[in-house]
């Protein structure tokens, strides 16, 4: 029994290592697809200046493709049911609110100020993670790492363009919405533990399509698209870019749900902020405006903080898993000893009849 306990411990260690590698792969994949999706969206919107229509094409095509693949049995996609659709409606509504407040915040402040308020939302997400999702409280190392992310972002803004805020209301609303969105998504995932990631992607894209469809007509973007077609601006190049963005959109939606199944809402928020910081670095390298040495140092400081946070969470997870493994081994040892004691204990002999 002791040998089998040791073998179980080794298997647990191997499973933990495999799980951590898988999570790191998911995070790297999601951030890579997110970065390339940003570039693709910029390219698409240059040739098709109708953001709501483009978004509808992306989520609508994704929902349709996943539905067809589910029907043919190629992928395991959960069938449509009204109760599940109602649940994902709230997630889609939170996504729409996030996009709307982001647009209004960018109208009310410069990009750098908006990014700072986005990083500040990490602490709100961490509190919601702890209170609403019963996640373990962050240790000191993780809190210090998050402070590095925020202070690095603030230092970048102060060293570069500074804060330009015309309307604080929308900037504050965007920060709150950004904090709430991963928590809402995580709650939706937990309420349907038996769903597949493809099924969640299908439902989320379908409900997003339904919510945003009236917006396209309200904003008059259907006439914009019709005008582009009349002018002959919907070229093969434009359609190719749109199709590529639809494929990337499906990938980022799937990876987003898969990440949130395996990491906390706080970690997901940190991933988003690190991605924004990387975007600032790329923009600084590619375009005419180059940030100062101080600003670039602050960006690096923030990104290092994000890396430290990931390492802190990894070590915290290992410590928790080892503690659970040690407790289970102790319990198994106690059970084994109790069993051996009962076997070795002499049984009372029956009196012999003479």
């Amino acid at each position: 029994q002791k040998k089998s306990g040791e073998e179980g411990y080794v298997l647990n260690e191997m499973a933990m290592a495999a799980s951590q590698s898988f999570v790191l792969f998911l995070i790297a994949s999601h951030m890579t697809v997110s970065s390339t999706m940003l570039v693709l969206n910029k390219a698409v919107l240059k040739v098709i200046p109708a953001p709501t229509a483009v978004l509808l094409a992306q989520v609508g095509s994704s929902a349709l493709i996943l539905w067809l693949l589910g029907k043919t049995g190629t992928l395991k996609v959960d069938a449509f049911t009204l109760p599940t659709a109602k649940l994902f409606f709230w997630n889609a509504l939170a996504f729409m609110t996030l996009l709307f407040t982001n647009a209004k915040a960018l109208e009310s402040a410069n990009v750098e100020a908006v990014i700072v308020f986005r990083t500040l939302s990490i602490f709100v997400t961490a509190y919601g993670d702890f209170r609403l999702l019963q996640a373990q409280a962050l240790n000191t190392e993780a809190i210090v790492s998050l402070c590095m992310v925020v202070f690095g972002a603030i230092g970048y803004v102060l060293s570069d363009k500074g804060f330009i805020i015309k309307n604080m209301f929308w900037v504050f609303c965007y920060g709150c919405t950004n904090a709430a969105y991963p928590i809402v998504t995580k709650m939706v995932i937990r309420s349907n533990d038996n769903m597949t990631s493809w099924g969640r992607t299908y439902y989320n894209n379908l409900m997003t399509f339904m919510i945003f469809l009236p917006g396209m007509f309200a904003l008059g973007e259907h006439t914009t698209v019709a005008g582009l077609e009349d002018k002959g601006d919907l070229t093969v190049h434009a359609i190719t870019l749109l199709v590529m963005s639809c494929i990337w959109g499906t990938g980022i939606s799937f990876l987003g749900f898969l990440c949130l199944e395996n990491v906390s809402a706080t970690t997901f928020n940190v991933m988003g902020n690190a991605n924004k910081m990387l975007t600032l670095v790329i923009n600084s390298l590619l375009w005419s405006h180059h940030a100062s040495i101080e600003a670039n140092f602050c960006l690096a400081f923030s990104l290092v903080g994000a890396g430290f946070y990931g390492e802190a969470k990894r070590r915290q997870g290992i410590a928790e898993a080892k503690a659970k493994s040690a407790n289970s081994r102790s319990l198994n040892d106690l059970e084994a000893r109790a069993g051996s004691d009962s076997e070795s204990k002499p049984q009372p002999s029956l009196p012999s009849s003479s």
Side-chain angles (χ1 to χ4, degrees):
Q1 288 185 355
K2 186 177 180 181
K3 185 178 179 181
S4 63
E6 290 175 354
E7 289 175 353
Y9 177 74
V10 172
L11 288 173
N12 284 338
E13 290 284 313
M14 293 173 63
M16 277 195 303
S19 176
Q20 288 161 16
S21 301
F22 177 65
V23 170
L24 287 174
F25 170 75
L26 280 180
I27 291 172
S29 299
H30 186 268
M31 292 183 69
T32 302
V33 174
S34 296
S35 301
T36 51
M37 184 68 179
L38 179 65
V39 176
L40 261 178
N41 275 340
K42 283 185 176 180
V44 171
L45 290 174
K46 277 187 178 180
V47 292
I48 307 175
T52 307
V54 169
L55 177 65
L56 282 170
Q58 290 169 350
V59 296
S61 62
S62 175
L64 179 62
I65 291 169
L66 288 177
W67 180 78
L68 290 172
L69 291 174
K71 284 294 182 182
T72 57
T74 307
L75 293 174
K76 190 177 179 182
V77 181
D78 299 82
F80 181 86
T81 60
L82 193 57
T84 308
K86 287 179 180 178
L87 188 65
F88 275 85
F89 168 82
W90 297 109
N91 194 65
L93 188 63
F95 178 61
M96 184 183 73
T97 308
L98 180 66
L99 292 182
F100 177 74
T101 53
N102 182 35
K104 298 300 288 185
L106 289 171
E107 289 176 5
S108 308
N110 60 339
V111 176
E112 289 78 10
V114 172
I115 288 176
V116 166
F117 275 87
R118 179 191 171 100
T119 58
L120 288 171
S121 71
I122 293 173
F123 293 103
V124 182
T125 304
Y127 181 75
D129 227 354
F130 174 68
R131 297 295 296 178
L132 299 176
L133 300 174
Q134 285 76 49
Q136 186 173 12
L138 298 178
N139 57 21
T140 304
E141 189 179 357
I143 293 172
V144 170
S145 301
L146 291 182
C147 288
M148 287 178 64
V149 174
V150 174
F151 290 148
I154 294 173
Y156 169 78
V157 174
L158 294 177
S159 304
D160 195 44
K161 292 183 177 179
F163 289 94
I164 302 173
I165 301 175
K166 300 173 186 175
N167 188 339
M168 187 68 188
F169 173 76
W170 287 114
V171 179
F172 178 76
C173 286
Y174 171 65
C176 293
T177 309
N178 190 73
Y181 178 69
I183 296 175
V184 172
T185 307
K186 191 82 176 177
M187 291 173 75
V188 170
I189 289 173
R190 286 192 176 183
S191 60
N192 287 274
D193 286 336
N194 57 338
M195 286 186 72
T196 64
S197 297
W198 289 117
R200 293 189 179 105
T201 305
Y202 162 67
Y203 269 98
N204 192 61
N205 286 331
L206 178 63
M207 299 313 296
T208 302
F209 180 83
M210 291 181 178
I211 287 178
F212 275 84
L213 186 59
M216 183 183 71
F217 295 99
L219 296 171
E221 290 191 6
H222 60 294
T223 57
T224 303
V225 175
L228 290 172
E229 189 176 2
D230 293 337
K231 293 176 185 177
D233 290 338
L234 287 179
T235 60
V236 175
H237 172 67
I239 298 299
T240 302
L241 286 174
L242 181 61
V243 170
M244 286 178 64
S245 74
C246 291
I247 296 170
W248 250 247
T250 304
I252 194 172
S253 182
F254 172 72
L255 287 170
F257 276 106
L258 203 54
C259 276
L260 273 167
E261 289 174 22
N262 292 277
V263 302
S264 67
T266 308
T267 301
F268 193 78
N269 197 339
V270 172
M271 286 167 52
N273 283 289
N275 204 34
K276 293 295 180 187
M277 295 297 174
L278 284 171
T279 303
L280 287 175
V281 172
I282 294 169
N283 284 340
S284 176
L285 294 173
L286 292 181
W287 310 119
S288 57
H289 168 70
H290 296 286
S292 63
I293 295 175
E294 294 84 359
N296 284 325
F297 172 79
C298 291
L299 271 179
F301 185 77
S302 185
L303 289 171
V304 169
F308 281 169
Y309 172 80
E311 179 62 18
K313 290 295 289 183
R314 186 186 72 85
R315 279 191 261 185
Q316 190 176 9
I318 291 174
E320 290 173 17
K322 283 185 176 179
K324 288 180 181 177
S325 178
N327 288 336
S328 63
R329 280 200 299 161
S330 299
L331 184 62
N332 289 337
D333 289 343
L334 287 173
E335 289 176 350
R337 287 174 188 170
S340 61
D341 288 346
S342 63
E343 288 175 4
S344 60
K345 186 176 180 180
Q347 299 295 326
S349 57
L350 295 172
S352 57
S353 57
S354 53

